Amino acid sequence: MILKELKIDTWVGDPTNCYIILDEKSKEIMVIDPAGDVDKIVELINILEGKLKYIYLTHCHGDHITGVTGVTELKNRCGGKILIHREDAEGLNDANINLTPYIREERIELEADSRVDDNDLIHLGDLEFKVIHTPGHTKGGTCLYI
């Protein structure tokens, strides 16, 4: 397994953490919270010579999903399925939940390909991640355990 942490500049003014995980055998990649500089993320995917399988969102706040310059652009350029916890899925298109009016005027339009629940398992090649529901920051916040 290769794990890379990137500090991604966002339109909020502060960088956010983005993680790229590669299963070396299958070359499958999961990107966690791509919220900004998609060119930097795509460059690393290309360096790793992997195929994007999942875009995993730990929660639905605008500084983690940024429609035009984050998740949407990454999916358009590299494919991959967007995953988010069931209880945060509605927040992807609800400005009162994702808080985009407070940090940006752009309206975010984003749909998850799949919704995950507590204790679900996500497979990336031979790697297995367990979803841990961690509500608090948002009602559908999650962590991944491997």
Side-chain angles (χ1 to χ4, degrees):
M1 174 180 84
I2 295 176
L3 169 65
K4 297 287 185 183
E5 178 186 11
L6 299 175
K7 292 285 187 190
I8 299 294
D9 292 324
T10 68
W11 38 263
V12 177
D14 294 320
T16 192
N17 293 322
C18 170
Y19 300 91
I20 299 175
I21 301 168
L22 169 76
D23 175 73
E24 294 172 277
K25 184 176 175 185
S26 69
K27 292 295 195 177
E28 292 178 340
I29 288 178
M30 176 165 46
V31 174
I32 301 172
D33 290 339
D37 189 348
V38 174
D39 288 338
K40 186 187 251 185
I41 297 168
V42 171
E43 179 182 14
L44 188 51
I45 289 171
N46 290 337
I47 289 169
L48 294 171
E49 298 178 343
K51 176 166 175 35
L52 183 59
K53 183 175 182 181
Y54 297 122
I55 300 169
Y56 189 88
L57 306 176
T58 60
H59 66 287
C60 67
H61 281 162
D63 61 332
H64 284 253
I65 63 176
T66 56
V68 172
T69 59
V71 175
T72 302
E73 183 179 344
L74 181 60
K75 182 174 173 121
N76 288 342
R77 289 173 64 179
C78 296
K81 292 185 177 183
I82 299 168
L83 308 178
I84 193 167
H85 191 274
R86 179 172 314 284
E87 291 188 33
D88 262 16
E90 70 176 298
L92 294 176
N93 291 304
D94 186 332
N96 293 317
I97 297 172
N98 65 39
L99 307 177
T100 52
Y102 302 102
I103 50 181
R104 188 176 185 157
E105 294 181 18
E106 174 190 345
R107 178 167 168 72
I108 292 178
E109 301 264 336
L110 183 60
E111 289 296 327
D113 294 300
S114 294
R115 290 155 179 77
V116 297
D117 292 302
D118 192 41
N119 294 315
D120 280 356
L121 299 176
I122 299 170
H123 292 94
L124 190 69
D126 290 334
L127 303 175
E128 182 176 85
F129 299 83
K130 180 179 177 181
V131 175
I132 302 171
H133 185 208
T134 53
H137 188 62
T138 63
K139 68 180 183 176
T142 58
C143 295
L144 295 174
Y145 176 79
I146 183 168

